[in-house]
Amino acid sequence: MQLKEETLRREEVYHGRIFCVERALVRLPNGKEGQREVVRHPGAVDVLAWTDPETLLLVRQFRYAAGEELWEIPAGKLEPGEDPAVCAARELSEETGYAPGDLKELARFYSSPGFSSEVLYLYEARGLRAGSGEKDDDEFLEVRRIPLKTALDWVARGQVHDAKTLIALLLAGRRNIA
Amino acid sequence: MQLKEETLRREEVYHGRIFCVERALVRLPNGKEGQREVVRHPGAVDVLAWTDPETLLLVRQFRYAAGEELWEIPAGKLEPGEDPAVCAARELSEETGYAPGDLKELARFYSSPGFSSEVLYLYEARGLRAGSGEKDDDEFLEVRRIPLKTALDWVARGQVHDAKTLIALLLAGRRNIA
């Protein structure tokens, strides 16, 4: 089945600090025209960081968009042209103070492809070196070491409300990484 | 630790058909001021729909924001004031032609809380009635019945690139639903 949409015209209708918004006119598979409205986002990384084979780092922070505090794995936006692995090491250091020894890509996915181009690159970090990272004094978050088993209990009880963190924890549980 | 940010001023800088963009000035936990830029989204539902105890429905569609075709579980946006369970039944029917017998909430999460307010309500549907739903002729997607085992193989091989679908499949695998 032919599903692709052809872009006939596109226009940037909002240019922000973090993302832009684009409106487009497309040719639908049935030949008719349709409208699309999307967020253009630079992408982000998130890091499943192990302090020992059974314990990972979670950060708690207030998310303005959500209006509440959430438990998440360390994460951050890509700078223009930045290599995702370099970004993962930088964000881990800035948020937790730990520098990764070894980084491996676990998954990459769209956070919400119905309206946003954001791709998330999920890394796994091992061999952390405490204190060697440059922690950012201007981020307001609480860092905790949590056993994977505990984190998966939180998932089972519906207490983890961040998509990338759910994916990382469920992949870790499935692959028996811990 | 006090993490909450107090909103000092907020302004809608883009008003779209699907979402809006808001800029805000906030009081940070250290007393300084900071800027926030977020997408205000009405929220969405997604449905893990079983045609038999080991087989679920996946849909393939072109996603303009991603620029490619993706495999996803059936999903759609909430109408203003709509009950998420009603929306789940409606979207399942429109996308697949199946009406759910029984619907149960499995999880709810933010797709990307760093910049978007979108909440996703994940439902599980059983007792599907084929042909009784009203399929939407204006959506361009391919519907397939896929064994959970096959879908989890796709996950392991890095072939599933949609966050909500990864969460649904990994939860299904973990809970041994199938």
Side-chain angles (χ1 to χ4, degrees), chain A residues 60-156:
Chain A
R60 186 171 178 83
Q61 60 189 311
F62 181 82
R63 289 299 203 171
Y64 181 82
E68 60 177 312
E69 293 175 16
L70 298 176
W71 282 111
E72 302 174 38
I73 58 172
K77 281 183 304 295
L78 283 161
E79 303 290 343
E82 189 177 28
D83 182 87
V86 172
C87 179
R90 178 175 61 73
E91 288 291 346
L92 182 65
S93 292
E94 287 176 6
E95 292 198 349
T96 71
Y98 284 92
D102 179 65
L103 273 177
K104 184 185 145 202
E105 187 178 317
L106 273 191
R108 67 173 74 180
F109 49 86
Y110 295 97
S111 56
S112 196
F115 79 96
S116 165
S117 70
E118 186 191 31
V119 173
L120 274 158
Y121 300 83
L122 169 60
Y123 284 88
E124 187 174 22
R126 295 183 183 277
L128 303 192
R129 296 184 301 275
S132 55
E134 289 174 26
K135 197 167 170 186
D136 194 332
D137 285 338
D138 243 27
E139 283 199 89
F140 305 96
L141 39 80
E142 183 187 336
V143 182
R144 274 224 243 156
R145 290 192 282 184
I146 307 280
L148 174 60
K149 189 176 174 313
T150 303
L152 288 170
D153 284 345
W154 294 357
V155 171

Side-chain angles (χ1 to χ4, degrees), chain B residues 21-170:
Chain B
V21 178
E22 174 192 319
R23 275 190 186 156
L25 184 71
V26 300
R27 176 81 60 201
L28 299 171
N30 65 358
K32 293 184 183 170
E33 293 183 352
Q35 292 195 330
R36 295 288 176 256
E37 175 182 50
V38 300
V39 170
R40 293 288 171 204
H41 188 284
V45 300
D46 51 330
V47 188
L48 182 62
W50 300 96
T51 57
D52 70 47
E54 289 171 16
T55 309
L56 51 95
L57 292 174
L58 290 182
V59 298
R60 187 171 177 83
Q61 61 189 311
F62 181 81
R63 289 300 201 172
Y64 181 81
E68 59 178 310
E69 293 174 16
L70 298 177
W71 283 110
E72 301 174 40
I73 57 173
K77 282 184 303 294
L78 284 161
E79 303 290 344
E82 189 177 28
D83 181 87
V86 172
C87 180
R90 179 175 59 73
E91 288 290 347
L92 182 65
S93 292
E94 288 177 5
E95 292 198 349
T96 72
Y98 285 92
D102 178 64
L103 273 177
K104 184 185 146 204
E105 187 180 317
L106 274 191
R108 67 174 73 179
F109 48 86
Y110 295 98
S111 57
S112 196
F115 79 96
S116 165
S117 71
E118 186 191 31
V119 173
L120 274 159
Y121 300 82
L122 169 60
Y123 284 87
E124 187 174 21
R126 297 184 182 276
L128 303 191
R129 296 186 301 276
S132 55
E134 291 175 26
K135 196 167 172 187
D136 195 332
D137 285 339
D138 243 26
E139 283 200 89
F140 305 97
L141 40 79
E142 183 186 336
V143 183
R144 272 222 244 158
R145 291 193 283 185
I146 306 279
L148 174 60
K149 190 178 173 311
T150 303
L152 288 171
D153 284 345
W154 294 358
V155 171
R157 291 205 295 262
Q159 295 171 335
V160 178
H161 295 129
D162 171 51
K164 65 183 176 299
T165 305
L166 283 166
I167 291 167
L169 295 174
L170 288 165

